[in-house]
Amino acid sequence: MQLSRRLFLSAAALAAIVGLNGAALAAGEVNLYSARQEALIKPLLDQFTAETGIKVNLVSAKADALLQRLKSEGRNSPADVLLTVDAGNLHAARAAGVLQPVQSKVLEAAIPATFRDPAGHWFGLSLRARPIMYVKGRVDPAELSTYEALAEPKWKGRICIRSSDNVYNQSLVASMIATRGEAATEGWAKGFVANFARKPQGGDRDQLKAAVAGQCDIAIANTYYLAQMLESDKADEKAVAEQIGVFWPNQDERGTHVNISGAGVTAAAPNRANAVRLLEFLVSEAAQQWYAETNQEYPVRSGIPTSATLRAFGEFRADDVNMARLGEFNAAAVRLMDRAGWR
């Protein structure tokens, strides 16, 4: 029975690959490898098809799996666009040689230089901030100031955060290396890790739930997780989120760490023109408004209002370090986190 099921799954996977290769040869199509959850991108793709007549063939998987697939497919890859989250993943894709440079006045006009690859290999499509979150009533926000201050002894046993395997944390540390240098960042990381309330585990939502449950007082998490919990139909998630406050660190200096979701045209793209057209659509005013209202992310394009939920978190100054630097310092960040005992 198990063997039959494996054979069925293998046949289905092969059929999907063959189908996609066939689709890649057809006109009026674009093949998208996406690391985003389908629900967070499919409505936009449907709108793109409705407006342009270009069919989007979507393959969804984890970022690491898609990168490995692109590398193994090489010049025979049917993919036209790689879409993923975090500048660290986009940098890794560029370093692996699976993306090609694109010059587009539309993309360059819509996306600030800070949020795109200087050579045009990838472009930010939406923003997410990673501030300090705290349990209301247990932490006075007046006690908080910077990420660096979280290494002070008064926070011992009070911090929840994901593991060092998580690229969001790697990029947070990379941003500090870019500004403070590696030695100063390592000194901070050792003090920060010493203040962990528990062994890093789970996702961003899990950190917020652990904080409300009393395992810690503060957590580091991306804003859209909290916003989606506040908008959730699940009463337990909403109840947790309502007990969490948002503090914007480092406002008197470099600003709060932000990151992107983004995309690039693949090196072997058989439908390159359609791929560029899709990227340009994703930074249109209508698409950016959708990101803001539905995904609870900050638009990468200026002049687009954020959702009411995000506005309730307050205005903040974002770190303006170029996203490309986060990828450049990713390996150093991972080594540094390991030396600091961040598991």
Side-chain angles (χ1 to χ4, degrees):
M1 185 68 178
Q2 289 181 344
L3 178 60
S4 297
R5 176 175 170 74
R6 283 199 296 270
L7 289 173
F8 170 78
L9 292 174
S10 297
L14 179 61
I17 293 171
V18 170
L20 188 52
N21 274 306
L25 301 176
E29 299 191 346
V30 61
N31 301 317
L32 172 63
Y33 282 9
S34 172
R36 301 217 68 173
Q37 295 178 28
E38 186 168 329
L40 299 182
I41 190 68
K42 186 67 165 54
L44 274 180
L45 304 180
D46 291 342
Q47 185 62 36
F48 172 72
T49 299
E51 290 188 11
T52 65
I54 299 171
K55 180 183 177 184
V56 181
N57 301 305
L58 175 64
V59 173
S60 299
K62 297 286 188 183
D64 290 346
L66 291 176
L67 178 55
Q68 289 304 315
R69 180 167 173 171
L70 282 168
K71 290 163 68 176
S72 60
E73 289 173 340
R75 291 183 297 177
N76 296 318
S77 175
D80 296 299
V81 175
L82 172 66
L83 190 154
T84 185
V85 296
D86 202 283
N89 287 330
L90 292 163
H91 176 84
R94 178 186 173 177
V98 301
L99 299 179
Q100 64 172 290
V102 167
Q103 289 188 325
S104 161
K105 292 182 179 179
V106 173
L107 294 173
E108 291 168 6
I111 307 170
T114 303
F115 303 128
R116 50 184 161 87
D117 176 49
H121 286 81
W122 49 261
F123 299 87
L125 302 176
S126 62
L127 301 177
R128 61 277 302 279
R130 197 163 180 76
I132 298 170
M133 299 188 185
Y134 62 93
V135 181
K136 298 173 183 175
R138 248 194 274 153
V139 174
D140 182 348
E143 296 181 82
L144 298 165
S145 58
T146 64
Y147 296 109
E148 288 82 348
L150 295 180
E152 295 174 358
K154 73 176 182 179
W155 297 110
K156 189 170 184 61
R158 301 176 68 187
I159 299 172
C160 284
I161 193 167
R162 295 169 79 148
S163 76
S164 60
D165 290 337
N166 176 249
V167 71
Y168 303 155
N169 287 336
Q170 294 169 8
S171 288
L172 171 63
V173 173
S175 74
M176 296 180 74
I177 294 175
T179 304
R180 307 286 188 196
E182 190 164 341
T185 302
E186 183 167 346
W188 164 81
K190 289 178 178 176
F192 182 62
V193 171
N195 289 339
F196 286 179
R198 60 178 188 169
K199 181 181 177 181
Q201 56 197 272
D204 278 13
R205 286 186 178 86
D206 296 314
Q207 313 313 314
L208 302 179
K209 292 175 182 175
V212 169
Q215 294 186 47
C216 49
D217 292 329
I218 63 174
I220 306 294
N222 286 351
T223 40
Y224 68 90
Y225 286 111
L226 179 62
Q228 290 175 4
M229 290 173 72
L230 286 167
E231 296 298 316
S232 176
D233 293 332
K234 298 178 180 177
D236 56 338
E237 285 209 343
K238 195 176 181 71
V240 166
E242 288 174 344
Q243 297 179 66
I244 297 293
V246 174
F247 181 83
W248 301 108
N250 299 78
Q251 292 303 282
D252 294 331
E253 34 167 300
R254 60 192 168 95
T256 297
H257 174 62
V258 296
N259 211 311
I260 56 172
S261 73
V265 177
T266 60
N271 302 291
R272 187 181 189 279
N274 289 346
V276 175
R277 197 167 177 186
L278 175 59
L279 294 188
E280 293 175 345
F281 170 82
L282 292 175
V283 296
S284 65
E285 291 187 5
Q288 289 288 296
Q289 188 66 58
W290 188 88
Y291 273 117
E293 292 292 343
T294 306
N295 280 7
Q296 300 293 347
E297 294 179 280
Y298 294 94
V300 73
R301 180 177 186 138
S302 63
I304 306 296
T306 57
S307 71
T309 303
L310 289 182
R311 286 198 296 276
F313 295 164
E315 299 288 330
F316 68 101
R317 176 184 177 183
D319 190 347
D320 61 1
V321 64
N322 190 291
M323 294 289 109
R325 304 295 306 279
L326 306 185
E328 292 170 11
F329 288 115
N330 180 270
V334 172
R335 293 193 298 268
L336 183 157
M337 295 164 85
D338 189 53
R339 292 196 297 271
W342 189 335
R343 302 295 183 245

Coordinates of all heavy atoms in Angstrom, one line a residue, residues 164 177 182-183 185-187 189-190 193 331-343:
S164 N 18.7 30.3 15.4 CA 19.6 31.0 14.5 C 19.5 30.4 13.1 O 20.1 31.0 12.2 CB 21.0 30.7 15.0 OG 21.3 29.4 15.1
I177 N 25.8 43.9 11.9 CA 27.2 43.8 11.5 C 27.5 44.9 10.5 O 28.5 45.6 10.6 CB 27.5 42.4 10.8 CG1 27.4 41.3 11.9 CG2 28.9 42.4 10.2 CD1 27.5 39.9 11.3
E182 N 31.6 43.5 13.1 CA 31.4 42.1 13.6 C 31.8 41.9 15.0 O 31.0 41.3 15.8 CB 32.3 41.2 12.7 CG 32.0 39.7 13.0 CD 32.5 38.8 11.9 OE1 32.8 39.3 10.8 OE2 32.7 37.6 12.1
A183 N 32.8 42.6 15.5 CA 33.3 42.4 16.9 C 32.2 42.9 17.8 O 31.9 42.3 18.8 CB 34.6 43.1 17.1
T185 N 29.1 43.4 17.3 CA 27.8 42.6 17.2 C 28.0 41.3 17.9 O 27.0 40.8 18.6 CB 27.5 42.4 15.7 OG1 27.3 43.6 15.0 CG2 26.2 41.6 15.6
E186 N 29.2 40.7 17.9 CA 29.3 39.4 18.6 C 29.3 39.6 20.1 O 28.7 38.8 20.8 CB 30.7 38.8 18.2 CG 30.9 37.4 18.9 CD 32.1 36.7 18.3 OE1 32.5 37.0 17.2 OE2 32.5 35.7 18.9
G187 N 29.8 40.8 20.6 CA 29.7 41.1 22.0 C 28.3 41.2 22.4 O 27.9 40.7 23.5
A189 N 25.7 39.9 20.9 CA 25.0 38.6 20.7 C 25.2 37.7 21.9 O 24.2 37.0 22.4 CB 25.4 37.9 19.5
K190 N 26.4 37.7 22.5 CA 26.6 36.9 23.7 C 25.8 37.3 24.9 O 25.2 36.5 25.6 CB 28.1 36.9 24.0 CG 29.0 36.2 23.0 CD 30.5 36.3 23.4 CE 31.3 35.5 22.3 NZ 32.8 35.7 22.6
V193 N 22.0 36.4 24.0 CA 21.7 35.0 24.1 C 21.6 34.6 25.6 O 20.7 33.8 26.0 CB 22.8 34.1 23.4 CG1 22.6 32.6 23.7 CG2 22.7 34.3 21.9
A331 N 26.6 35.0 5.9 CA 27.5 33.9 6.4 C 28.2 34.3 7.7 O 28.3 33.5 8.6 CB 28.5 33.6 5.3
A332 N 28.7 35.6 7.7 CA 29.3 36.1 8.9 C 28.3 36.1 10.1 O 28.7 35.7 11.2 CB 29.9 37.5 8.7
A333 N 27.1 36.4 9.8 CA 26.0 36.4 10.9 C 25.8 35.0 11.4 O 25.7 34.8 12.6 CB 24.7 37.0 10.3
V334 N 25.7 34.0 10.6 CA 25.5 32.7 11.0 C 26.7 32.2 11.9 O 26.5 31.6 12.9 CB 25.3 31.7 9.8 CG1 25.3 30.3 10.2 CG2 24.0 32.1 9.0
R335 N 27.9 32.4 11.4 CA 29.1 32.0 12.2 C 29.1 32.7 13.6 O 29.4 32.1 14.6 CB 30.4 32.3 11.5 CG 30.6 31.5 10.2 CD 32.0 31.6 9.7 NE 32.3 33.0 9.3 CZ 32.1 33.5 8.1 NH1 31.7 32.7 7.1 NH2 32.4 34.7 7.8
L336 N 28.8 34.0 13.6 CA 28.8 34.8 14.8 C 27.7 34.3 15.8 O 28.0 34.1 17.0 CB 28.5 36.3 14.4 CG 28.5 37.3 15.5 CD1 28.8 38.7 14.9 CD2 27.2 37.4 16.3
M337 N 26.5 34.0 15.3 CA 25.4 33.5 16.1 C 25.8 32.1 16.7 O 25.5 31.8 17.9 CB 24.1 33.3 15.3 CG 23.6 34.7 14.9 SD 22.4 34.6 13.5 CE 20.9 34.3 14.4
D338 N 26.5 31.3 16.0 CA 27.0 30.0 16.5 C 28.0 30.2 17.6 O 27.9 29.5 18.6 CB 27.6 29.2 15.3 CG 27.9 27.8 15.7 OD1 26.9 27.1 16.2 OD2 29.0 27.3 15.6
R339 N 28.9 31.1 17.4 CA 29.9 31.4 18.4 C 29.3 31.9 19.7 O 29.8 31.7 20.8 CB 31.0 32.4 17.9 CG 31.9 31.8 16.8 CD 33.1 32.7 16.7 NE 32.8 34.1 16.3 CZ 32.7 34.5 15.0 NH1 32.8 33.6 14.0 NH2 32.4 35.7 14.7
A340 N 28.2 32.7 19.6 CA 27.5 33.3 20.7 C 26.6 32.3 21.4 O 26.0 32.6 22.5 CB 26.7 34.5 20.3
G341 N 26.5 31.1 20.9 CA 25.7 30.0 21.5 C 24.2 30.1 21.2 O 23.3 29.6 21.8
W342 N 23.9 30.9 20.1 CA 22.5 31.1 19.6 C 22.1 29.8 18.8 O 22.6 29.7 17.7 CB 22.4 32.3 18.8 CG 21.0 32.8 18.4 CD1 19.9 32.0 18.3 CD2 20.6 34.1 18.1 NE1 18.8 32.8 17.9 CE2 19.2 34.1 17.8 CE3 21.3 35.3 18.1 CZ2 18.5 35.2 17.5 CZ3 20.6 36.5 17.7 CH2 19.2 36.4 17.4
R343 N 21.4 28.9 19.4 CA 21.0 27.7 18.7 C 19.7 27.8 18.0 O 18.9 28.7 18.2 CB 21.0 26.5 19.7 CG 22.3 26.3 20.4 CD 23.5 26.0 19.4 NE 24.7 25.7 20.1 CZ 25.8 26.5 19.9 NH1 25.8 27.5 19.1 NH2 26.9 26.2 20.6

